[in-house]
Amino acid sequence: RLEEGQLRQRRFVSDASHELRSPVASIRQHSEVALAHPGHASAEELARVVLDEDLRMQRLVEDLLLLARMDEDRADARKVMLDLDDVVFEEVVRVRGLTKKSIDASRVSAGRVLGDRKQLTRLTGNILDNAVRHARTSVSIVLTEEDHEVIFQVDDDGSGIPPGDEDRIFERFVRLHEARDRDTGGSGLGLAIVAEVVGAHGGTARVLKSRLGGARFEIRLPRASD
């Protein structure tokens, strides 16, 4: 187990280094072209490239720091009684302001859990962002309580997850073939963070075939007792 852990750590450091090199190289390339051919690129175009790549690095570093903290001590989560539906509605409002795709939250009902609000907000946001990124036109959200669980489901009408990749999708830096285009904004860490947060809250995460034709991400968390 120790050797496996060390191998995982080395692979993680290698992947992280590769991911950080990419935006740095992009900034350097565009800067060199601008200096060599001043008339071919405006200051505005160069600033836009630098800003986009800087934001990409910032998101990646923030994700890496979050995963490192969770690896170090999962028990550090500040768990309180909270309504997960409130968190979901807040993230729906945020995401609706960023896309023209349809987001149906009409089937979000009460779901009370014991959890870290910041981590659960990140979990919810990452799942919604992923669904919107890969949806063609629409995303549907369900939140319900069933027995001793709170069930959170997000469906999209995209191309779905290829058979056999349902578990890999939650691994760090994994991008399936369709998602490898960085223009989609994915860092390859969003769903890994989802898996870590779910694990820290004693829940489960899985991906299924969606009734909309794409993917369904289903999160099950322990229901908080009154």
Side-chain angles (χ1 to χ4, degrees):
R1 285 200 302 269
L2 181 60
E3 289 179 358
E4 183 181 346
Q6 291 175 337
L7 177 62
R8 249 192 339 263
Q9 185 177 34
R10 286 196 297 270
R11 187 184 300 123
F12 180 66
V13 171
S14 174
D15 288 340
S17 300
H18 174 76
E19 294 292 328
L20 287 169
R21 276 199 303 268
S22 181
V24 170
S26 178
I27 290 173
R28 179 176 179 177
Q29 177 186 0
H30 283 85
S31 299
E32 289 176 343
V33 170
L35 287 172
H37 308 283
H40 291 177
S42 68
E44 181 181 352
E45 291 172 336
L46 178 60
R48 187 178 298 113
V49 170
V50 172
L51 179 59
D52 287 345
E53 295 297 339
D54 180 72
L55 290 173
R56 181 171 141 205
M57 282 193 291
Q58 179 182 334
R59 287 193 297 267
L60 178 59
V61 170
E62 288 173 351
D63 287 347
L64 287 168
L65 288 173
L66 176 59
L67 286 169
R69 285 196 298 267
M70 296 194 72
D71 282 345
E72 193 173 301
D73 187 6
R74 281 186 168 185
D76 193 39
R78 299 179 179 178
K79 295 182 180 179
V80 298
M81 199 83 71
L82 60 87
D83 296 314
L84 188 59
D85 46 303
D86 288 343
V87 175
V88 171
F89 281 128
E90 288 172 5
E91 286 301 297
V92 166
V93 169
R94 178 187 65 83
V95 174
R96 278 178 175 162
L98 301 174
T99 184
K100 294 183 179 179
K101 297 175 184 178
S102 171
I103 301 178
D104 178 12
S106 62
R107 292 193 295 161
V108 174
S109 58
R112 199 159 178 77
V113 299
L114 183 66
D116 182 301
R117 187 180 185 89
K118 187 174 181 180
Q119 290 185 8
L120 291 175
T121 297
R122 189 64 175 273
L123 176 153
T124 303
N126 283 6
I127 292 180
L128 291 180
D129 287 342
N130 180 78
V132 169
R133 187 179 302 128
H134 296 292
R136 292 189 176 93
T137 61
S138 59
V139 172
S140 176
I141 307 164
V142 176
L143 182 70
T144 185
E145 292 182 339
E146 183 178 297
D147 296 329
H148 301 293
E149 292 183 313
V150 172
I151 304 172
F152 174 47
Q153 297 174 331
V154 178
D155 290 62
D156 67 68
D157 63 350
S159 59
I161 306 298
D165 286 327
E166 293 88 351
D167 293 328
R168 284 187 63 240
I169 197 70
F170 292 106
E171 296 177 7
R172 300 177 184 187
F173 291 114
V174 167
R175 292 191 188 90
L176 303 186
H177 181 70
E178 177 198 3
R180 292 196 65 86
D181 185 354
R182 285 187 174 85
D183 290 340
T184 64
S187 70
L189 289 175
L191 294 177
I193 289 174
V194 167
E196 290 291 335
V197 172
V198 169
H201 286 75
T204 60
R206 61 175 181 166
V207 61
L208 307 164
K209 180 71 175 178
S210 169
R211 59 183 178 81
L212 299 180
R216 165 179 290 180
F217 284 86
E218 180 182 273
I219 306 299
R220 290 175 177 260
L221 298 172
R223 178 182 178 182
S225 55
D226 297 329

